Amino acid sequence: MQPIKTTEETKHLSYDVVIIGGAMIGAAVAWFTASNPDFAGKILVVEKDPSLEFSSTSRTNSSIRQQFSNKTNILISQFSAQYISEFKQYMENDPNVPTISFRKIGYLYLANNHIDCNILKKNQQLQLSLNTPTSIMNAEILSEKFPYLNVADILTGSFNQHNEGYFDAMTMLNCWIRKAKEKGVEFIKGEVKKLEIKSKQISAIVLSNGSRIQAGNIVNATGPRAPILTKNTHFNLPIEARKRFTFLFKCATSLAGELPLVIDPSGVHVRSDGNQFLCGFAPDIDKEVAFDDFTVDYQLWETKIWPILTHRIPAFEKVKLVNAWAGHYAFNTFDQNAIIGPHPEITNFFFANGFSGHGLQQSPAVGRGISELIIHNKYINLDLKSLSPIRLIEKKPFLERAII
Ligand SMILES: Cc1cc2nc3c(=O)[nH]c(=O)nc-3n(C[C@H](O)[C@H](O)[C@H](O)COP(=O)(O)OP(=O)(O)OC[C@H]3O[C@@H](n4cnc5c(N)ncnc54)[C@H](O)[C@@H]3O)c2cc1C
């Protein structure tokens, strides 16, 4: 990862847009705003750790799917898939922008009871209506198509390969940062400690070194830390840092074809990653953790995850663990979906938070959406209003059944 230039000085005392957090979401907002021909202002991105080492972005599995149960999430990922595939064109055909690698291996959800089967079937109907060609397969078809899978206890699978798989998000992020800088966006190292509020608007941000910077619009792109800055705005973001483990392993036997991202009924998910395999899981007790807690529970691999994997794919009896890491989801405890849009009262303060494990793939649509709110005061290309924070006040959850 190319570190963000580590100056702590800003060129100006005042900016039209200040983005707090310079990882995937902050960089997306910076690029989409700076590259919009209707925007002529100054943009500052403040990032406390320019190495991004502990950000969710650096710990991700980089997967993208269309198999959601909510129309908005499907449309968001459809745009992302198109954006990834046509990245060079979207980046002004810059010869220095590479094609983004996008391995379309597909996602396969497995269900072992009638309730979950019906959910998959219902989701498929919605996906088909939006031109995502998901297939529902019974155990017989599954074992023909994926002969390495044990489907003895499986009733139904839901599979789609069109625009689902994994992509090179880090190259995308680096291009957004580099190109945003070329358009004059400033990236500084700094930690925002305080937001100054005057007449229901944020007037300035204050950094930990005491610097005060005036801001026209402010974007909260601080990942799992999002609630910290929001505290003194009389609005609580229901977001917690929740740990997720990733285990990377090699298998002695090769499978027939690339393994799609398989979501086992237990919640364990595994996919091929080049000639290795990448598996993800939540801790047994899924609770809020400290921001610096990245310890990996290797026992979980031995006692729980590996047995589940070998039950599902017997070839995984012979594997070698290559690497493992923990990362933090910005987990929205209200409805496990992104919170996008202006603060209910402080209308120059925008949230792009609470992605609960699918923010990487949502970054193009969210970057574009927030830039439209800043520039046009409304969504132009894709309406993201159903993700607005207003739903928290109205206590109306954004319903999405397909959460991984
Ligand atoms: C293990 C794991 C697997 C995942 N897999 C997928 C996947 O397959 N597909 C998918 O779409 N998503 C996935 N995600 C989710 C995805 O990685 C995140 O949703 C996305 O990276 C969020 O980006 P972000 O910019 O909002 O947050 P972050 O990447 O966490 O960045 C926030 C940044 O804000 C900075 N910051 C915080 N507070 C301040 C402050 N006060 N001042 C200045 N800077 C500050 C932090 O230093 C950090 O760099 C996964 C996440 C994890 C942990």
Side-chain angles (χ1 to χ4, degrees), residues 4 19-27 46-65 68 77 107 165-167 170 188-194 207 220-226 228-229 242-246 261 269 271 278 280-281 325-330 352-363:
I4 301 168
I19 300 164
I20 312 171
M24 202 68 184
I25 296 296
V46 186
E47 168 54 55
K48 76 186 193 56
D49 172 17
S51 79
L52 302 182
E53 185 183 350
F54 299 105
S55 66
S56 304
T57 298
S58 294
R59 311 267 165 160
T60 183
N61 294 346
S62 280
S63 307
I64 170 167
R65 60 186 159 124
F68 286 97
S77 272
Y107 270 58
Y166 62 99
F167 68 106
M170 292 309 140
I188 61 156
K189 178 179 178 178
E191 180 170 6
V192 177
K193 277 289 186 198
K194 200 177 142 201
L207 304 187
N220 184 347
T222 57
R225 286 179 168 81
I228 300 175
L229 282 178
R242 295 273 185 103
K243 223 195 254 188
R244 290 295 178 272
F245 301 117
T246 303
L261 196 154
H269 52 94
R271 66 162 169 83
L278 193 145
F281 197 61
W325 63 88
H328 294 161
Y329 274 11
N353 304 116
F355 292 96
S356 308
H358 41 278
L360 209 78
Q361 65 195 281
Q362 298 198 322
S363 56

Side-chain angles (χ1 to χ4, degrees), residues 206-395:
V206 181
L207 304 187
S208 54
N209 65 8
S211 320
R212 185 177 174 278
I213 300 158
Q214 287 175 5
N217 294 281
I218 299 88
V219 180
N220 184 347
T222 57
R225 286 179 168 81
I228 300 175
L229 282 178
T230 314
K231 259 184 208 150
N232 73 338
T233 68
H234 306 296
F235 184 75
N236 287 328
L237 282 174
I239 293 170
E240 295 181 351
R242 295 273 185 103
K243 223 195 254 188
R244 290 295 178 272
F245 301 117
T246 303
F247 297 94
L248 192 68
F249 60 92
K250 282 187 168 159
C251 177
T253 326
S254 49
L255 304 183
E258 270 185 308
L259 181 69
L261 196 154
V262 178
I263 300 108
D264 188 80
S266 61
V268 170
H269 52 94
V270 60
R271 66 162 169 83
S272 60
D273 191 54
N275 58 3
Q276 310 189 114
F277 297 91
L278 193 145
C279 165
F281 197 61
D284 275 344
I285 300 168
D286 188 16
K287 60 174 176 35
E288 184 169 23
V289 296
F291 294 122
D292 59 354
D293 178 357
F294 290 98
T295 48
V296 176
D297 185 349
Y298 286 94
Q299 261 219 312
L300 199 64
W301 166 259
E302 288 288 336
T303 58
K304 185 158 183 181
I305 301 175
W306 190 30
I308 290 173
L309 289 176
T310 53
H311 169 73
R312 188 60 58 217
I313 301 176
F316 286 164
E317 280 286 354
K318 288 187 183 160
V319 297
K320 183 171 184 250
L321 196 57
V322 176
N323 196 1
W325 63 88
H328 294 161
Y329 274 11
F331 190 89
N332 167 354
T333 57
F334 179 65
D335 61 12
Q336 291 86 64
N337 273 287
I339 301 170
I340 310 289
H343 184 290
E345 286 178 5
I346 304 170
T347 51
N348 69 339
F349 185 29
F350 295 90
F351 299 130
N353 304 116
F355 292 96
S356 308
H358 41 278
L360 209 78
Q361 65 195 281
Q362 298 198 322
S363 56
V366 171
R368 184 180 67 179
I370 295 280
S371 74
E372 290 170 353
L373 290 181
I374 291 171
I375 298 164
H376 303 289
N377 203 22
K378 61 179 183 189
Y379 292 116
I380 306 284
N381 283 287
L382 178 60
D383 188 348
L384 302 177
K385 276 203 287 293
S386 54
L387 290 163
S388 151
I390 299 291
R391 75 185 193 275
L392 304 171
I393 296 169
E394 293 177 345
K395 302 208 177 341

Side-chain angles (χ1 to χ4, degrees), residues 179-197:
K179 295 275 293 173
K181 280 182 182 172
E182 283 171 17
K183 295 216 182 268
V185 177
E186 281 176 56
F187 286 77
I188 61 156
K189 178 179 178 178
E191 180 170 6
V192 177
K193 277 289 186 198
K194 200 177 142 201
L195 305 174
E196 285 185 3
I197 305 171

